[in-house]
Amino acid sequence: MRKVFALIRASWLSVLSYRLQMVFTVSSLLLGVVPLYLISQALQPMMASSVKGEGGQYFAFLIVGLLTYAFIATAAGALHGSLANEISTGGLEALLSTPTPLPVLMAGMIGQAFTHTAFRAVILLIAAWVLGAQLVWSALLVSLGILSLLIVAYT
């Protein structure tokens, strides 16, 4: 487990070295939720009956769907993206020559992508909460269980 965290930390140090890119990522998330809010408010009367069983608020429904899609997209492309990055930078040979088991190496390689997606999800949830999203927190554990199964299936 220590090796997985070391690989995730190394990836994060690389990502955080590009501070301007991180600022743009956070600001684009915060600014991108506003049009989604405005459109969802315009569509709320038409969508109220469709999302009645999912909490009744179309904006919260869109946020949860967007976060689910982000995690599934990360699960589907994180390993490929990490391998492509390591190949292009010449680091794959160094990683494969270490005495680290392949599953641990793969977990470390995709760990940064998942923590980055989780970081973006928290920012998006906070922005949605500020704009008035009413999430059904009582279903959080069931939702996380289903999301975990989806992530495993797509990974």
Side-chain angles (χ1 to χ4, degrees), residues 53-55 64 134-146:
E54 284 84 15
V64 170
Q134 298 169 354
L135 299 172
V136 181
W137 293 107
S138 61
L140 180 65
L141 289 177
V142 174
S143 301
L144 288 177
I146 292 170

Side-chain angles (χ1 to χ4, degrees), residues 25-63:
T25 299
V26 171
S27 62
S28 69
L29 280 172
L30 294 175
L31 293 175
V33 76
V34 174
L36 187 64
Y37 170 75
L38 295 173
I39 291 169
S40 69
Q41 292 305 309
L43 293 175
Q44 178 66 35
M46 291 182 285
M47 300 303 292
S49 62
S50 298
V51 295
K52 187 176 176 181
E54 284 84 15
Q57 189 185 31
Y58 188 54
F59 179 55
F61 179 78
L62 287 176
I63 293 296

Side-chain angles (χ1 to χ4, degrees), residues 11-25:
S11 297
W12 266 108
L13 288 174
S14 175
V15 168
L16 291 175
S17 67
Y18 299 100
R19 290 185 182 110
L20 190 59
Q21 181 181 2
M22 187 59 73
V23 168
F24 282 135
T25 299

